[in-house]
Amino acid sequence: MSQRLNAGPSGAVTARGPAPARGPAAAVKVPLSARGTASDRGPGVSLHGASSGGATSSTARPRPSEVIAAARQPGAAVHAGLGRKAGYHPQEQTTPRILSFNNLSDFSNHADSVVSVDVPLFRPTPAEIRFSGFEALQSFDATLSLRNQDNVARRVKILPPDSNFFEVLPGRGRKASGSADNKVAPGMEISYIIRFKPDAQVEDYHYDLIVVTEREKFVVPIRARGGSALLEMPDSLDFGTAPVKYETDKTILVRNVGEKATKFLLK
């Protein structure tokens, strides 16, 4: 049973429950698990019911109410700021991925460092930038800070993105180019504005910013998530008492409370 729902409207779906194999009557519950997917991103997502015989199959998939509750958590909401800022969610501090190493003595008189070679000389905050809740053909800003972890002054810069969707600008109070070399005192940080400019399609965007220090090149990922579908439906279907060898129908309401149209499949 394949259905298509636009964002906002709801649709009625008739579910047919199997008759129990033994006894004159039995209660049948069919647990549902659903996750909508945008119609322009491939086939619809299946909603899996329980096996026949009235037995409820165990599944690790979240129930529809759990999916909706998680999406509506304060931490999952868009953090809007001043002056057209999309919500961006700093992630847990993880070690950035280092792409390559430079010869430190070629760029500095201080060839030794107290910072382990396993981590960059500069610590990015956030380690990954995420945009969400953005609109087409608008611009949105996030702040990226780079802190010098060494005990001497070090230089750092961000390579200009080769993407029309992202731009690096100097942080507040700075007039120099965002991609210029900047010497930062030990323990201090420098900030940049990461500007996101989506086109007419509200979809997912991915890009890896390249940060260059005197010793290495490392990555700060940017992830922009467009609107998604969110299906609201019962967590389970209770057919009550059903006669043996008799098909019982039940109508349920499936409503798309997300931001994009979606396709789904009941089976």
Side-chain angles (χ1 to χ4, degrees), residues 2-3 35-39 41-47 262-265:
S2 180
Q3 298 284 333
R35 188 174 301 164
T37 181
S39 59
R41 299 178 191 271
V45 174
S46 298
L47 311 183
T262 188
K263 292 180 180 180
F264 69 96
L265 180 66

Side-chain angles (χ1 to χ4, degrees), residues 11 15 47 102 107 123 135 142 156 172 216 222 229 238 244 265:
L47 311 183
N102 302 320
F107 301 93
R123 182 181 64 194
E135 298 177 2
V156 66
R172 182 178 300 178
E216 66 268 314
I222 303 176
D238 188 353
V244 175
L265 180 66

